[in-house]
Amino acid sequence: MSDRHVFEYALLRVVPRVERGECVNAGVLVYCRARSYVGARTHLDEARLLALDPRVDLSGVRAALRAVEGVCAGGDAAGQAAEDDPGRRFRWLIAPRSTIVQPGPVHTGLTADPAAETQRLLDLLVR
């Protein structure tokens, strides 16, 4: 029997001007049902974002990314989502929205360590 489990992930994208369709990858969300894991890691390349829109609200973007990490972490940082199970929090975070921080499409894979996978995907797809 394999010690690897199915996981789902989505990139977090910062879209400073929706009408232009440009974005910067700024994080990754990972959910593994078998391990009851939901996690997010973020990294904001401010120089790249400012190249797309010099007037972008950097503090607002940082706050939105911190909020996503808080919902994944659960507890007081998750606000109303604190009582939700990890799958429900993940589904809420990947729901389409028209804000400056948007989730990308969901992909799947296999992993033995969802937390390590979260960091690996951040390094591979965001940094």
Side-chain angles (χ1 to χ4, degrees):
M1 180 125 157
S2 174
D3 63 340
R4 297 189 314 159
H5 302 282
V6 173
F7 74 96
E8 300 173 72
Y9 73 94
L11 287 170
L12 291 173
R13 299 174 175 161
V14 179
V15 185
R17 294 178 57 194
V18 176
E19 70 276 9
R20 291 181 60 154
E22 300 166 331
C23 66
V24 172
N25 291 344
V28 64
L29 296 164
V30 171
Y31 170 60
C32 181
R33 184 174 134 191
R35 294 280 179 96
S36 295
Y37 173 86
V38 63
R41 299 285 186 279
T42 62
H43 170 79
L44 182 59
D45 186 334
E46 293 180 3
R48 288 182 71 197
L49 187 55
L50 289 168
L52 294 181
D53 185 358
R55 295 169 297 179
V56 68
D57 178 7
L58 286 175
S59 63
V61 171
R62 282 189 226 102
L65 292 172
R66 279 192 308 273
V68 169
E69 290 176 331
V71 168
C72 287
D76 291 340
Q80 290 179 323
E83 300 301 316
D84 290 339
D85 63 77
R88 188 173 172 101
R89 285 184 274 147
F90 179 76
R91 298 284 172 240
W92 182 77
L93 289 167
I94 63 165
R97 51 186 44 95
S98 61
T99 62
I100 193 168
V101 176
Q102 301 178 7
V106 176
H107 306 280
T108 61
L110 293 171
T111 187
D113 185 347
E117 195 67 38
T118 306
Q119 187 62 48
R120 185 188 76 80
L121 289 169
L122 179 75
D123 294 338
L124 178 69
L125 302 173
V126 177
R127 291 186 187 251

